[in-house]
Amino acid sequence: MYFCIRNMTLKKMYIVCQWLLSTTVSLWASPLTATALQPPPPYSDTIVVQGCDSVWSHNTFFFADTLLSDSINTDTILYTFVVVHPSYLRVDSVNVCDNYTWLETGFTYYASTQKTVTRTSIDGCDSICQLVLNLRHSTTSSNEFSGCDSATWEGLLFYYPYGSTSYAFVIDTTLSLTNAQGCDGSKSLHLTLYPSYQDTLSATSCDEYTWQRTGQTFHTSGFFRQDLPTTHGCDSSSILILTIVHSYVHEIRDSFCIGSTYQFYDRTLTHGGSYHQDYVSAVWPYCDSIEVLILYQLQRPQITIEHSFDCDSLKHYIGAGTPVSYHRWSAEPPDPRLDEHVSDFWIRVNPTVPTVYTFYADYKEEETCPSSKQITILPITRPKAVIESEPSVLTPKRPMLTLRDRSSNASWREWFIDDQFFSYAVAPTYTTNFSSDSITILLVAHNDFCTDSDSVYIRVINETLWIPNAITPNQLTNNRFVIQGDGIASFSIDIYDRRGIQIFHSNNIEDSWDGTYGGELVAPCNYMYYITYTTEAQPRTILRRRGAVLVIR
């Protein structure tokens, strides 16, 4: 069993089927040609009926089943299929975008058109197919423009990217759209953004610098600004911070001391004068230059130092003089009392140990031509003069005096006798000449700062008696027997003749014998004398002298 349906929608098929199921058709009244097919399975039969257009005005097909009974009362179902093949006019109205391929012809159309095609089906029915094509087009557009810093297109905002090193930033993008005809469309953008910028350039150059931004050439250092539009109309500004290092003659004036050296590049200078050196700067931009040295040779500053001291206060006074402006004191070992007076010309010190004070002088505070002078200051001590002498009285038997210096804190001494300088020795000796009855010994004890003195009084006693050995009573001279002596404390004299008669006696050394006895001149001959006496040096010791005196007429 089969049937053919062409160009029929499912909806139509459903309607036909409903209609066929509800209708009983008499096959014998139809002008259709019936074709018997293979019988269906037992108790059924099928008849297929085909035709074009005029069989039914409804231009449809249907099938029916009929229940029949045979002679033996067996039920048989008769299935009848009616196939209607239309000859028809079909119109395809199509609205599409850009192009359409019609299956009836297999052609692709790119513009609106109307086409008609006649076809004969395999069932022999003629049909007409018509295409009514309304073709709409998709649209594309391309936009190309430029801007400064940013631009807006189709609601989209584009920026020149921060930190870009490119002078021109190019953006290519495509936007998909639906056009007014309902077709897909696209817009392409080719955008070039140029920056409006402010840039700062720091540059260092020798002698001159050409600013590439503006083409200007500068010969001095400075801060420069240039406002200018770019070639694409974007307002911009540029700042140049410029340092110009000139290739120049650099003059240096300096000094050094006589007796020292001065280093100028690889040369060691010993005299003042003018020197030059070609050189290249050690730092960027390495400019060629000439350095000229004007060198002065200085005398070292002169220093004078004065020193005094006061034995009463035990203080030293030190004064320094110099023609230069920078000066200072130092002490070794350090003297903390010097700190407040380190720049004074005069200082007052009282060190407890030997201290070296140094006075420095220079032309400047930094060392240029230093000079110094030192003085060693010892602690001040007062000497104590003490004399030791032996004996305490000088006599003819002990005419030599021994002196000894027993002073303390003294480094040297001076001896004076009766205000006359005598000796520097520690233990000098002195022998009297008995020219005076006393002498004064003075000792002056010295140290480096102070003096002291001590004195002693020494008696000089001449114990020698002078006794003449002859007299001439009747002459103008030497006519008395006169005894002289020094340092005599007591005296007694007796004179005897040959017979032992005492002819003269006296207890006073000042008395003298005139050569008479009883008022008469004695006879010329020798007369014996006996003398007893004591001295001032030894008043308790009795001394005796005897001898003869010759009387001459």
PDB file of all heavy atoms in Angstrom, residues 181-196:
ATOM      1  N   GLN A 181      17.471  47.921   7.683  1.00  0.00           N
ATOM      2  CA  GLN A 181      16.747  46.883   6.955  1.00  0.00           C
ATOM      3  C   GLN A 181      16.724  45.570   7.718  1.00  0.00           C
ATOM      4  O   GLN A 181      16.202  44.574   7.237  1.00  0.00           O
ATOM      5  CB  GLN A 181      17.396  46.681   5.579  1.00  0.00           C
ATOM      6  CG  GLN A 181      17.317  47.925   4.702  1.00  0.00           C
ATOM      7  CD  GLN A 181      18.043  47.730   3.383  1.00  0.00           C
ATOM      8  OE1 GLN A 181      18.920  46.877   3.279  1.00  0.00           O
ATOM      9  NE2 GLN A 181      17.660  48.515   2.386  1.00  0.00           N
ATOM     10  N   GLY A 182      17.344  45.576   8.920  1.00  0.00           N
ATOM     11  CA  GLY A 182      17.357  44.363   9.723  1.00  0.00           C
ATOM     12  C   GLY A 182      18.478  43.414   9.398  1.00  0.00           C
ATOM     13  O   GLY A 182      18.529  42.295   9.909  1.00  0.00           O
ATOM     14  N   CYS A 183      19.412  43.837   8.564  1.00  0.00           N
ATOM     15  CA  CYS A 183      20.550  42.983   8.197  1.00  0.00           C
ATOM     16  C   CYS A 183      21.754  43.322   9.071  1.00  0.00           C
ATOM     17  O   CYS A 183      21.890  44.444   9.574  1.00  0.00           O
ATOM     18  CB  CYS A 183      20.902  43.191   6.723  1.00  0.00           C
ATOM     19  SG  CYS A 183      19.615  42.649   5.601  1.00  0.00           S
ATOM     20  N   ASP A 184      22.601  42.315   9.181  1.00  0.00           N
ATOM     21  CA  ASP A 184      23.841  42.552   9.919  1.00  0.00           C
ATOM     22  C   ASP A 184      24.695  43.560   9.182  1.00  0.00           C
ATOM     23  O   ASP A 184      24.789  43.539   7.951  1.00  0.00           O
ATOM     24  CB  ASP A 184      24.622  41.255  10.101  1.00  0.00           C
ATOM     25  CG  ASP A 184      23.911  40.269  11.001  1.00  0.00           C
ATOM     26  OD1 ASP A 184      23.077  40.726  11.803  1.00  0.00           O
ATOM     27  OD2 ASP A 184      24.199  39.058  10.900  1.00  0.00           O
ATOM     28  N   GLY A 185      25.395  44.417  10.019  1.00  0.00           N
ATOM     29  CA  GLY A 185      26.296  45.391   9.466  1.00  0.00           C
ATOM     30  C   GLY A 185      27.530  45.526  10.342  1.00  0.00           C
ATOM     31  O   GLY A 185      27.595  44.989  11.449  1.00  0.00           O
ATOM     32  N   SER A 186      28.515  46.237   9.882  1.00  0.00           N
ATOM     33  CA  SER A 186      29.732  46.436  10.654  1.00  0.00           C
ATOM     34  C   SER A 186      30.319  47.796  10.323  1.00  0.00           C
ATOM     35  O   SER A 186      30.151  48.300   9.207  1.00  0.00           O
ATOM     36  CB  SER A 186      30.761  45.339  10.378  1.00  0.00           C
ATOM     37  OG  SER A 186      31.203  45.393   9.039  1.00  0.00           O
ATOM     38  N   LYS A 187      30.953  48.376  11.361  1.00  0.00           N
ATOM     39  CA  LYS A 187      31.675  49.624  11.183  1.00  0.00           C
ATOM     40  C   LYS A 187      33.110  49.404  11.638  1.00  0.00           C
ATOM     41  O   LYS A 187      33.341  48.881  12.727  1.00  0.00           O
ATOM     42  CB  LYS A 187      31.042  50.749  11.998  1.00  0.00           C
ATOM     43  CG  LYS A 187      29.725  51.258  11.427  1.00  0.00           C
ATOM     44  CD  LYS A 187      29.245  52.475  12.205  1.00  0.00           C
ATOM     45  CE  LYS A 187      27.978  53.034  11.587  1.00  0.00           C
ATOM     46  NZ  LYS A 187      27.508  54.253  12.303  1.00  0.00           N
ATOM     47  N   SER A 188      34.037  49.810  10.797  1.00  0.00           N
ATOM     48  CA  SER A 188      35.461  49.680  11.118  1.00  0.00           C
ATOM     49  C   SER A 188      36.030  51.053  11.450  1.00  0.00           C
ATOM     50  O   SER A 188      35.665  52.049  10.810  1.00  0.00           O
ATOM     51  CB  SER A 188      36.228  49.057   9.945  1.00  0.00           C
ATOM     52  OG  SER A 188      35.768  47.751   9.705  1.00  0.00           O
ATOM     53  N   LEU A 189      36.927  51.074  12.462  1.00  0.00           N
ATOM     54  CA  LEU A 189      37.554  52.329  12.889  1.00  0.00           C
ATOM     55  C   LEU A 189      39.064  52.202  12.787  1.00  0.00           C
ATOM     56  O   LEU A 189      39.659  51.240  13.270  1.00  0.00           O
ATOM     57  CB  LEU A 189      37.180  52.649  14.347  1.00  0.00           C
ATOM     58  CG  LEU A 189      37.915  53.846  14.976  1.00  0.00           C
ATOM     59  CD1 LEU A 189      37.522  55.141  14.292  1.00  0.00           C
ATOM     60  CD2 LEU A 189      37.649  53.915  16.476  1.00  0.00           C
ATOM     61  N   HIS A 190      39.678  53.188  12.160  1.00  0.00           N
ATOM     62  CA  HIS A 190      41.139  53.323  12.153  1.00  0.00           C
ATOM     63  C   HIS A 190      41.439  54.684  12.780  1.00  0.00           C
ATOM     64  O   HIS A 190      41.276  55.725  12.152  1.00  0.00           O
ATOM     65  CB  HIS A 190      41.672  53.254  10.723  1.00  0.00           C
ATOM     66  CG  HIS A 190      43.174  53.362  10.664  1.00  0.00           C
ATOM     67  ND1 HIS A 190      43.999  52.300  10.937  1.00  0.00           N
ATOM     68  CD2 HIS A 190      43.989  54.411  10.369  1.00  0.00           C
ATOM     69  CE1 HIS A 190      45.251  52.672  10.815  1.00  0.00           C
ATOM     70  NE2 HIS A 190      45.265  53.961  10.479  1.00  0.00           N
ATOM     71  N   LEU A 191      41.810  54.640  14.052  1.00  0.00           N
ATOM     72  CA  LEU A 191      41.989  55.852  14.848  1.00  0.00           C
ATOM     73  C   LEU A 191      43.462  56.039  15.189  1.00  0.00           C
ATOM     74  O   LEU A 191      44.137  55.111  15.628  1.00  0.00           O
ATOM     75  CB  LEU A 191      41.170  55.752  16.141  1.00  0.00           C
ATOM     76  CG  LEU A 191      41.354  56.878  17.165  1.00  0.00           C
ATOM     77  CD1 LEU A 191      40.896  58.215  16.595  1.00  0.00           C
ATOM     78  CD2 LEU A 191      40.617  56.555  18.453  1.00  0.00           C
ATOM     79  N   THR A 192      43.949  57.263  15.004  1.00  0.00           N
ATOM     80  CA  THR A 192      45.323  57.610  15.385  1.00  0.00           C
ATOM     81  C   THR A 192      45.258  58.712  16.446  1.00  0.00           C
ATOM     82  O   THR A 192      44.711  59.792  16.190  1.00  0.00           O
ATOM     83  CB  THR A 192      46.146  58.101  14.184  1.00  0.00           C
ATOM     84  OG1 THR A 192      46.137  57.089  13.179  1.00  0.00           O
ATOM     85  CG2 THR A 192      47.587  58.389  14.608  1.00  0.00           C
ATOM     86  N   LEU A 193      45.794  58.403  17.648  1.00  0.00           N
ATOM     87  CA  LEU A 193      45.810  59.371  18.738  1.00  0.00           C
ATOM     88  C   LEU A 193      47.220  59.912  18.927  1.00  0.00           C
ATOM     89  O   LEU A 193      48.192  59.155  18.958  1.00  0.00           O
ATOM     90  CB  LEU A 193      45.331  58.722  20.038  1.00  0.00           C
ATOM     91  CG  LEU A 193      43.843  58.359  20.104  1.00  0.00           C
ATOM     92  CD1 LEU A 193      43.549  57.691  21.433  1.00  0.00           C
ATOM     93  CD2 LEU A 193      42.966  59.580  19.917  1.00  0.00           C
ATOM     94  N   TYR A 194      47.296  61.221  19.045  1.00  0.00           N
ATOM     95  CA  TYR A 194      48.571  61.882  19.288  1.00  0.00           C
ATOM     96  C   TYR A 194      48.506  62.533  20.672  1.00  0.00           C
ATOM     97  O   TYR A 194      47.467  63.049  21.083  1.00  0.00           O
ATOM     98  CB  TYR A 194      48.854  62.945  18.225  1.00  0.00           C
ATOM     99  CG  TYR A 194      48.936  62.379  16.836  1.00  0.00           C
ATOM    100  CD1 TYR A 194      47.821  62.402  15.994  1.00  0.00           C
ATOM    101  CD2 TYR A 194      50.110  61.815  16.368  1.00  0.00           C
ATOM    102  CE1 TYR A 194      47.888  61.875  14.721  1.00  0.00           C
ATOM    103  CE2 TYR A 194      50.189  61.288  15.086  1.00  0.00           C
ATOM    104  CZ  TYR A 194      49.077  61.312  14.272  1.00  0.00           C
ATOM    105  OH  TYR A 194      49.147  60.781  13.023  1.00  0.00           O
ATOM    106  N   PRO A 195      49.631  62.511  21.397  1.00  0.00           N
ATOM    107  CA  PRO A 195      49.579  63.046  22.761  1.00  0.00           C
ATOM    108  C   PRO A 195      49.717  64.565  22.801  1.00  0.00           C
ATOM    109  O   PRO A 195      50.448  65.161  22.014  1.00  0.00           O
ATOM    110  CB  PRO A 195      50.791  62.380  23.430  1.00  0.00           C
ATOM    111  CG  PRO A 195      51.757  62.176  22.305  1.00  0.00           C
ATOM    112  CD  PRO A 195      50.929  61.892  21.088  1.00  0.00           C
ATOM    113  N   SER A 196      48.954  65.178  23.705  1.00  0.00           N
ATOM    114  CA  SER A 196      49.252  66.538  24.140  1.00  0.00           C
ATOM    115  C   SER A 196      50.048  66.381  25.426  1.00  0.00           C
ATOM    116  O   SER A 196      49.531  65.877  26.418  1.00  0.00           O
ATOM    117  CB  SER A 196      47.961  67.317  24.411  1.00  0.00           C
ATOM    118  OG  SER A 196      47.210  67.461  23.230  1.00  0.00           O
TER     119      SER A 196
END
